[in-house]
Amino acid sequence: MDSKKKKLIIILSVVGVIVLAAVIAIAVIFTREPEAPPAAKEGVIYQTEPETFWANTGSGYMTFENIPEPAEPVEGELYGQVFKVWALNDGEWQDWLSGTWEMNADKTELTLTATWDESDGNATKLRDAESGVAKIYTAEDGKFYIGVNYPGGAFGEVTFTLDPVADQVGEVTDNDGNGNVDEDKDNNDDQGEVTPPCTEHVDSNNDGKCDNCGETMPIVSTEPIVTLTATDATTTATAEIELFMDGTFNFNVYLAPYMDGKVFGGTWASTETGNFVAPVTLTPDATGAAVIGNNITVTLTPNSDYSVITYTCHVDYIVPDAISMAFDFTGSLNTGDIM
């Protein structure tokens, strides 16, 4: 604690009753607005509105920051997500209490942990909390109400209001919920375990956001952009290759009453990026008992003015000890229907 803070606390301790009594008498006549805090510095995520204490003569506010740990940490300094309780003393804003903070993803719970000298009656502390023990605050109407006791007994009590929406002054990304933030905004936490990219977008509650990563769900058309058809000469079964915009495909077989739709799927891609008439390669997913003959390649041949594209493709679909089908896909597509 610096000499200025010690000086002020000693004065409050020795002549506190006289000074505060006089202050109260003045405060009955005059109502004083809190001093405006400085502009939020870099690294501050939230900054509360200022509040008064000591019968309107003291001013304070809170900040919630991310402080990256340097290559050579300073002993006793806090790093990571750090909150600070500030007080204006001798015209200078001073940090009178520091600790760590965590907020859950939906901003309904805030956890603060700070350490102070319990035996010191003039210590700044979190109200109704224990030194070194995490205190959980639950949002009320979207806001957190944080009680702080500055020196001065009941006259030092103040409640700061943290509104995670209105009071947000910086950006924070905590992908894996470990309390670490994305300083360089690359969507990866800069400290601790990095969350891998989402491999499967799921939206079970239909809110438009992925349940796994929180990103906006991609718009996927349910209609194929191209459908190729063929018939097996032996069984007269018909087959379809449906290509979808997201790079997936379905292989459907229709043979009543045994087959009626998709028998396997996978992904597709052009063999030459940017060349829409390059051969298209289909890569099947695991197909269980079925055997897919050789590589599946759709060959595309445009006419002279590229208005029509002829396609050819051969697929052997075999279920061991059950059925064997050979499909020769041959036909044409109008480019205006697929481009």
Side-chain angles (χ1 to χ4, degrees):
M1 185 179 294
D2 58 35
S3 58
K4 291 182 178 180
K5 188 182 295 185
K6 288 182 178 178
K7 174 183 175 183
L8 182 55
I9 290 177
I10 290 173
I11 292 174
L12 284 172
S13 299
V14 176
V15 295
V17 175
I18 298 174
V19 172
L20 290 174
V23 166
I24 292 172
I26 296 173
V28 171
I29 303 174
F30 301 101
T31 299
R32 183 170 174 268
E33 294 294 324
E35 295 289 341
K41 64 179 183 179
E42 184 178 0
V44 174
I45 309 302
Y46 303 106
Q47 180 166 304
T48 71
E49 292 295 322
E51 301 290 345
T52 60
F53 50 96
W54 294 335
N56 295 333
T57 64
S59 296
Y61 69 100
M62 292 185 69
T63 56
F64 298 80
E65 311 177 27
N66 177 67
I67 304 177
E69 184 172 340
E72 298 182 3
V74 178
E75 184 177 357
E77 291 291 325
L78 294 175
Y79 301 104
Q81 297 199 163
V82 178
F83 79 86
K84 296 180 180 180
V85 176
W86 298 86
L88 186 62
N89 182 29
D90 282 351
E92 177 185 0
W93 286 103
Q94 299 173 355
D95 166 17
W96 279 25
L97 178 66
S98 298
T100 59
W101 66 279
E102 295 179 18
M103 188 183 298
N104 63 353
D106 58 6
K107 299 182 180 181
T108 58
E109 283 191 355
L110 173 69
T111 303
L112 303 183
T113 306
T115 302
W116 58 85
D117 185 354
E118 292 279 18
S119 64
D120 184 358
N122 288 313
T124 301
K125 62 187 70 176
L126 297 175
R127 190 181 315 140
D128 300 324
E130 297 181 42
S131 175
V133 179
K135 179 174 176 59
I136 299 176
Y137 300 81
T138 302
E140 301 176 27
D141 296 326
K143 301 177 182 179
F144 298 101
Y145 298 92
I146 306 165
V148 171
N149 289 353
Y150 286 98
F155 301 107
E157 293 185 358
V158 64
T159 299
F160 293 106
T161 301
L162 171 60
D163 185 332
V165 177
D167 296 336
Q168 183 170 342
V169 293
E171 295 187 20
V172 57
T173 300
D174 180 10
N175 296 308
D176 54 16
N178 67 356
N180 299 317
V181 299
D182 177 21
E183 281 294 295
D184 52 12
K185 299 178 178 63
D186 64 355
N187 293 321
N188 287 322
D189 293 353
D190 293 328
Q191 305 171 42
E193 180 182 355
V194 174
T195 301
C198 186
T199 57
E200 182 181 6
H201 289 301
V202 178
D203 183 16
S204 59
N205 59 0
N206 296 316
D207 65 351
K209 301 291 184 180
C210 175
D211 300 340
N212 297 327
C213 68
E215 293 183 5
T216 300
M217 290 291 292
I219 299 175
V220 179
S221 174
T222 58
E223 296 296 324
I225 55 174
V226 171
T227 300
L228 315 180
T229 60
T231 301
D232 173 54
T234 302
T235 63
T236 67
T238 59
E240 292 177 340
I241 297 177
E242 296 179 314
L243 304 182
F244 296 90
M245 183 66 74
D246 63 353
T248 62
F249 79 89
N250 289 342
F251 192 92
N252 307 323
V253 176
Y254 302 93
L255 178 61
Y258 309 105
M259 296 180 177
D260 186 26
K262 180 179 176 180
V263 293
F264 68 89
T267 58
W268 65 271
S270 173
T271 57
E272 292 183 32
T273 302
N275 181 4
F276 73 95
V277 294
V280 174
T281 299
L282 310 184
T283 303
D285 295 330
T287 55
V291 177
I292 310 303
N294 303 319
N295 296 324
I296 302 178
T297 301
V298 181
T299 302
L300 305 174
T301 305
N303 65 353
S304 59
D305 63 0
Y306 287 81
S307 61
V308 176
I309 297 177
T310 301
Y311 63 84
T312 58
C313 176
H314 179 83
V315 178
D316 292 320
Y317 181 70
I318 303 169
V319 179
D321 301 322
I323 198 167
S324 178
M325 299 179 183
F327 295 101
D328 286 304
F329 293 84
T330 303
S332 61
L333 301 167
N334 294 321
T335 55
D337 295 334
I338 61 175
M339 296 179 62

